[in-house]
Amino acid sequence: MTQGEAPARSTRSRPTMREVAALAGVAIKTVSRVFNGVPTVDPAIVTRVREAADQLGYRPNLTASSLRRGDGRTATIGMLVEDAANPFSAALTRTVENVARARGVLVLVGSLDEDPARERELAQALVDRRVDGLVIVPAGRDQSYLINEQRTGTRMVFVDREAGLLDADAVVSDNRQGALTAVEHLIKAGHRRIAYLGDRPTIPTAAQRFDGYRHALEVAHLPYDEAIVQQVPAGEEAAVAATKRLLELPDPPTALFTSQNLVTIGALRALRALGLQDTVAQVGFDDFPLADILNPGISVIAQDVEEVGRRAAEMLFHRLDGDESPTRTVTVPTRLIERGSGEITAGGPRHD
Amino acid sequence: MTQGEAPARSTRSRPTMREVAALAGVAIKTVSRVFNGVPTVDPAIVTRVREAADQLGYRPNLTASSLRRGDGRTATIGMLVEDAANPFSAALTRTVENVARARGVLVLVGSLDEDPARERELAQALVDRRVDGLVIVPAGRDQSYLINEQRTGTRMVFVDREAGLLDADAVVSDNRQGALTAVEHLIKAGHRRIAYLGDRPTIPTAAQRFDGYRHALEVAHLPYDEAIVQQVPAGEEAAVAATKRLLELPDPPTALFTSQNLVTIGALRALRALGLQDTVAQVGFDDFPLADILNPGISVIAQDVEEVGRRAAEMLFHRLDGDESPTRTVTVPTRLIERGSGEITAGGPRHD
DNA sequence: CGACGCTGAGACAACGTTGACTGGGCGAGA
DNA sequence: TCTCGCCCAGTCAACGTTGTCTCAGCGTCG
C-alpha cells in the first residue's frame, strides 16, 4: 500500500451547455447545434463554441439528451448472462460488445447464476435505465414479465435458450443434434454402454442434450439404462462424484457423454484420478481451453459461440433499425472435434 | 431457423408518471412519492397508485430521475478491461459486478485490446453517460485526459496497473515480488540458466515482472543473458515460436519463467511439442484453469483476482460514499502454487 | 425601391422526474 | 368557538438537452 500525494477533490460540478453558451456568447441552442453537427452554423461560431467547450472541459450529457430526443435511445444495451466469469458467457459478451461498439452502443452486463428471480430483477433494472435492447441468456423458463416491455419498444433477443411464454427472437446452438452426433460418434467407436452425465433437465439446454443422447441410443437400438445416467447440478465437484459412482458400478460404462463444460472437466478429473483416461472414452459438450493439450486430448462438440453472439447482436440491432418481421429462432450448428478421448474404442469388458 | 408466429409490434410508448397519476386520480408528485417510498402518503393512496402503475406496466425512468435528482447519480459504473473474453478480465468484471450489485449498481463493460485510443474513447463514452465511477485496467500510459472528469466528480480506480500522469486510486498485484518468487523458486531447484518469456516491456506489468526476474538473478549472483530473454507481443503463437527459439539455442535454458498467461500456455505447448515438458522446468505468472491436471502440473504465481477486483470496487464505492482521503495504491500479494513443472531440477547439461 | 425568400441564430416549451414551496383540512388547546 | 399547527397532497419550476417556432438580417428580383 502506497500513499498518494494529494486528495482528489471534487469541487466544481460538470459544466453544461448553458455555461459553454455563456462563455462563447451564443444561445444554448447554438451549442446544441454545434455538438450535433447541424450544418447551418457559421464556421466562426462553431470554432468559438468548440473552444469554449474545450476550455471548460464540457462533455454533452447523453442521459439528458436521450430524455429529450424523440426516440429516447440511450445507445446502451443490456446483456444478461449466466456468469460473466465463465468462458461461454465471457466470449458471448465480447462478441456482442464488438457488434455494439461498431454502432457506438455500450453494453451493461449482469450475471444471473441460473436464478430466475435475479433475471427478473436485473431485466427490470436494465429496463429502468431505458436500455435500447436486451440480450438475454435466460435463467428461468418464464419471460412473460417482459411482454409489456416488448410492447413498449424494448427490443430483445434470447441466446442459448429460447424465451418461455414470450414470442421473441432467439439464437441457439443445435443442442439436440450436437448430443446426437457425440453419442453416435461413441457408438461408431464400438461403445454400447455409454453413460450420460449432465445438468439437471430443468435447464432447457440440458434437456435438449439429454434428448439427443436418448435419440442416438434409440437409433442404434441400444438399451436406455437409467443406472448410467447422472443428472446433477452443474459444478466440478458434483461431476467428479457422479463419474466415480458410474465407474464403480458392477457394470460400468465404457464411454461417457458429458453434456456440459464443468461436468466434462469434472469427469476428466475423475477419470484421471482412477487412471482410466486411456480406457474409458469421453466426448464433452462445449469446447474449453487446453482441451487439446491433455493426454488424451478431449474430444468435444464445440459450439460456435462467436457466431451465436454475433447473430444475436445483429438481430437485435436489426430490430432496433425497425425490422418488424415475425420473430425467428436461429439455430447455429455445432461441430465435433476429435482429439483422442472420443476415439478410444470399446476395449474393456464387453456388454452385449 | 424457425419462424415465430406474430410480429412483435411496438405500438404504445412507455407509460409515465403522468399517466399513472391520471389513472389513480392523484398528482404526479404523489406518484413520485409512492415510488420513492416517502412515508407521508396515505396507505390507501399508495395502494391506488401501485395498482394503477401495475395496470399500466409503469416503470420509473431512472435516466430522468437521475437528471433531476441533486446528486445526479445514475447507479451505473463503467468498467474498462483488456478483453471481456479473457479469464482475468472476466473474473475481475464478475467480482466488481458482485460488489456493485449489492448496492443496486449496474456495470457497463468495455474491452480495450491494449489500445490507448480505444481506452480514451470508451472512457469518454462512459463519462458521457454519466456513470458514477470507473474501474479501469488502463491500456495506455497517460490518463491525464481524465483529470477534468476526476475534478468534476467522476470517481475512478485503476486496476492491475497504476494510472499515468493522474493521481488516482489503484489496486495492483505485486508483480515484481511475484516474479522474484518464481525465479528464486527455480534457482532453489538448482537452475542457473533461466529464460524469461514475456510481454513487451512497454506494458507496465510486464516491465515489473521483468524487473523481478532480473533482481532475482542479481541476488543469486547469476549472470543476465539477453540471449535467453524473449519479450514478445502477447499471444500463444508468438510464445510458441519464442520458446522454440530458446530451446534450439546451442546453450539452452534449463528453466523458463513465463510472465504472462498466454505466454505460459504457448511455452507449455512448445515444450510438449518438443517432448521436453519433463526436462525443462517452468513457472508461469498467472494461474489458469486445468493447470493442475496437465502432466506435469504447471507451477504458477497466482494473482488473487477476486481480491483485486473486490478491493477495487470497494475503494470506488468508498469514494462515492464521500471518502476524500489521499489516493492510495493497494498492492495485493501473489502466491506460488507448486504443481510439478516448477520443481523439475536442473538435470540436463550444466552451465556454470 | 419594396416585397420576398433564405440563411442562421435565438426564444420557448417539453422530455420524465423531483426539490421547494403552498395550501386545504382537521384536531387540539386557549 | 377560534386559532394555531400539523399532516398530507398539490403546484411550480428546474435538471440538461433538443424540437418547433420565430425573427432579424441580408441578398435578390421585379
Side-chain angles (χ1 to χ4, degrees):
Chain A
M1 261 192 228
T2 326
Q3 268 220 345
E5 300 134 37
R9 273 275 146 64
S10 85
T11 23
R12 286 179 317 149
S13 66
R14 195 168 287 286
T16 70
M17 274 193 178
R18 177 201 299 290
E19 294 164 57
V20 175
L23 183 59
V26 296
I28 294 183
K29 180 75 229 219
T30 302
V31 179
S32 166
R33 278 194 264 256
V34 170
F35 275 87
N36 286 286
V38 174
T40 66
V41 184
D42 187 317
I45 293 189
V46 172
T47 314
R48 205 141 45 97
V49 168
R50 292 223 173 276
E51 278 169 3
D54 284 352
Q55 190 181 323
L56 294 173
Y58 170 77
R59 292 254 90 209
N61 184 332
L62 247 57
T63 68
S65 166
S66 111
L67 179 62
R68 182 60 182 88
R69 285 189 126 95
D71 55 10
R73 292 283 172 85
T74 52
T76 305
I77 62 173
M79 170 120 203
L80 297 180
V81 295
E82 196 224 311
D83 172 6
N86 86 31
F88 178 78
S89 302
L92 212 53
T93 304
R94 181 61 211 264
T95 317
V96 170
E97 184 201 328
N98 283 351
V99 179
R101 183 209 302 289
R103 313 185 49 138
V105 168
L106 295 189
V107 183
L108 276 159
V109 179
S111 301
L112 305 180
D113 294 325
E114 299 291 357
D115 178 352
R118 196 177 266 185
E119 173 193 325
R120 220 181 142 138
E121 280 166 31
L122 282 179
Q124 291 290 17
L126 290 166
V127 167
D128 292 353
R129 280 167 184 75
R130 295 299 185 268
V131 292
D132 299 333
L134 292 170
V135 176
I136 306 181
V137 179
R141 304 181 62 94
D142 173 8
Q143 277 72 44
S144 60
Y145 66 92
L146 284 171
I147 287 179
N148 200 52
E149 320 305 336
Q150 198 184 40
R151 200 172 298 148
T152 53
T154 307
R155 301 309 199 155
M156 50 193 81
V157 175
F158 289 78
V159 176
D160 195 43
R161 311 166 191 171
E162 295 188 68
L165 309 178
L166 181 77
D167 179 32
D169 291 319
V171 180
V172 298
S173 275
D174 197 341
N175 289 296
R176 190 168 178 281
Q177 181 60 48
L180 191 85
T181 305
V183 178
E184 278 178 346
H185 186 66
L186 290 167
I187 292 170
K188 261 185 235 145
H191 297 277
R192 304 187 52 75
R193 195 156 166 77
I194 302 166
Y196 174 91
L197 277 142
D199 228 317
R200 281 164 309 178
T202 47
I203 293 177
T205 51
Q208 289 160 17
R209 293 172 194 172
F210 181 60
D211 193 44
Y213 164 78
R214 292 204 61 166
H215 191 62
L217 295 184
E218 237 172 68
V219 168
H221 302 292
L222 290 179
Y224 168 68
D225 182 358
E226 266 197 352
I228 54 171
V229 167
Q230 292 276 344
Q231 310 200 56
V232 298
E236 275 185 45
E237 291 75 22
V240 170
T243 309
K244 288 193 173 159
R245 274 199 297 281
L246 287 174
L247 297 170
E248 281 160 5
L249 286 175
D251 200 16
T254 64
L256 310 177
F257 169 52
T258 51
S259 89
Q260 197 257 3
N261 218 308
L262 296 177
V263 174
T264 300
I265 290 169
L268 71 89
R269 280 190 194 283
L271 287 177
R272 275 159 187 265
L274 299 168
L276 291 172
Q277 70 269 27
D278 292 312
T279 312
V280 175
Q282 182 184 4
V283 176
F285 202 111
D286 223 353
D287 203 5
F288 56 94
L290 300 185
D292 58 322
I293 217 173
L294 295 169
N295 214 329
I298 308 300
S299 299
V300 296
I301 300 295
Q303 298 191 61
D304 194 343
V305 188
E306 275 73 26
E307 176 73 3
V308 169
R310 199 177 53 72
R311 294 291 291 268
E314 282 172 359
M315 277 175 95
L316 182 67
F317 285 115
H318 219 236
R319 292 292 183 191
L320 285 170
D321 287 344
D323 177 13
E324 296 284 353
S325 61
T327 60
R328 289 187 307 154
T329 292
V330 174
T331 303
V332 176
T334 58
R335 190 166 52 96
L336 170 68
I337 304 179
E338 306 185 11
R339 293 200 179 108
S341 77
E343 292 70 44
I344 295 171
T345 50
R350 281 297 189 91
H351 308 271
D352 27 70
Chain B
M1 263 191 225
T2 325
Q3 268 219 346
E5 300 136 37
R9 273 275 147 64
S10 84
T11 23
R12 286 180 317 150
S13 67
R14 195 168 287 286
T16 70
M17 274 193 178
R18 177 200 301 289
E19 293 165 57
V20 176
L23 184 59
V26 296
I28 295 183
K29 179 76 230 218
T30 302
V31 179
S32 166
R33 277 193 265 256
V34 169
F35 275 86
N36 286 286
V38 175
T40 65
V41 184
D42 187 315
I45 293 189
V46 171
T47 314
R48 206 141 46 97
V49 168
R50 292 223 174 275
E51 277 170 2
D54 283 352
Q55 189 182 325
L56 294 173
Y58 170 77
R59 291 254 90 209
N61 184 331
L62 246 58
T63 66
S65 166
S66 110
L67 179 62
R68 183 59 182 88
R69 286 190 124 95
D71 56 11
R73 292 283 173 86
T74 52
T76 305
I77 61 173
M79 169 121 205
L80 298 179
V81 296
E82 196 224 312
D83 172 6
N86 86 31
F88 179 78
S89 302
L92 212 53
T93 304
R94 181 60 210 265
T95 317
V96 170
E97 184 200 328
N98 284 351
V99 179
R101 182 208 302 289
R103 313 185 50 139
V105 168
L106 294 189
V107 184
L108 276 159
V109 180
S111 302
L112 304 180
D113 294 325
E114 300 290 359
D115 178 351
R118 195 175 266 185
E119 173 194 324
R120 218 177 144 142
E121 279 166 32
L122 281 178
Q124 292 289 18
L126 291 166
V127 166
D128 291 353
R129 280 168 184 75
R130 295 300 185 266
V131 293
D132 300 333
L134 293 170
V135 176
I136 305 181
V137 179
R141 304 182 61 95
D142 173 8
Q143 278 71 44
S144 60
Y145 65 92
L146 285 170
I147 287 180
N148 199 51
E149 319 306 336
Q150 198 183 40
R151 200 173 297 147
T152 53
T154 306
R155 302 310 200 155
M156 49 193 81
V157 175
F158 288 78
V159 176
D160 195 43
R161 313 165 190 171
E162 294 187 68
L165 310 178
L166 181 76
D167 178 33
D169 292 318
V171 179
V172 298
S173 276
D174 197 341
N175 290 296
R176 190 169 178 280
Q177 181 60 48
L180 190 85
T181 304
V183 178
E184 277 177 348
H185 186 67
L186 290 167
I187 292 171
K188 261 186 235 145
H191 297 278
R192 304 188 52 75
R193 195 155 166 78
I194 301 167
Y196 173 92
L197 276 142
D199 228 318
R200 280 163 310 178
T202 47
I203 293 177
T205 50
Q208 290 160 17
R209 293 172 194 172
F210 182 61
D211 193 43
Y213 164 78
R214 291 205 61 167
H215 191 62
L217 295 184
E218 237 172 68
V219 168
H221 301 292
L222 290 177
Y224 168 70
D225 182 357
E226 265 196 353
I228 53 171
V229 167
Q230 291 277 344
Q231 311 200 58
V232 298
E236 275 185 44
E237 290 76 21
V240 170
T243 308
K244 289 192 173 160
R245 274 199 297 281
L246 286 175
L247 296 171
E248 281 161 3
L249 286 175
D251 199 16
T254 65
L256 311 177
F257 168 52
T258 52
S259 89
Q260 197 256 2
N261 218 308
L262 296 177
V263 174
T264 299
I265 290 169
L268 72 89
R269 279 189 195 284
L271 286 177
R272 275 159 188 265
L274 298 169
L276 290 172
Q277 70 267 29
D278 293 311
T279 312
V280 175
Q282 181 183 5
V283 175
F285 202 111
D286 222 352
D287 202 6
F288 57 94
L290 300 185
D292 58 321
I293 218 174
L294 295 169
N295 213 328
I298 306 301
S299 300
V300 297
I301 300 294
Q303 297 191 62
D304 193 343
V305 188
E306 275 74 26
E307 176 73 3
V308 170
R310 200 177 52 72
R311 295 291 292 267
E314 282 171 359
M315 278 176 94
L316 182 66
F317 285 115
H318 219 237
R319 292 292 184 192
L320 285 170
D321 287 343
D323 177 14
E324 295 283 353
S325 60
T327 61
R328 290 186 307 155
T329 292
V330 174
T331 303
V332 175
T334 58
R335 189 166 53 95
L336 171 68
I337 303 179
E338 307 185 11
R339 294 200 180 105
S341 77
E343 292 69 44
I344 295 170
T345 50
R350 281 297 190 89
H351 306 272
D352 25 74

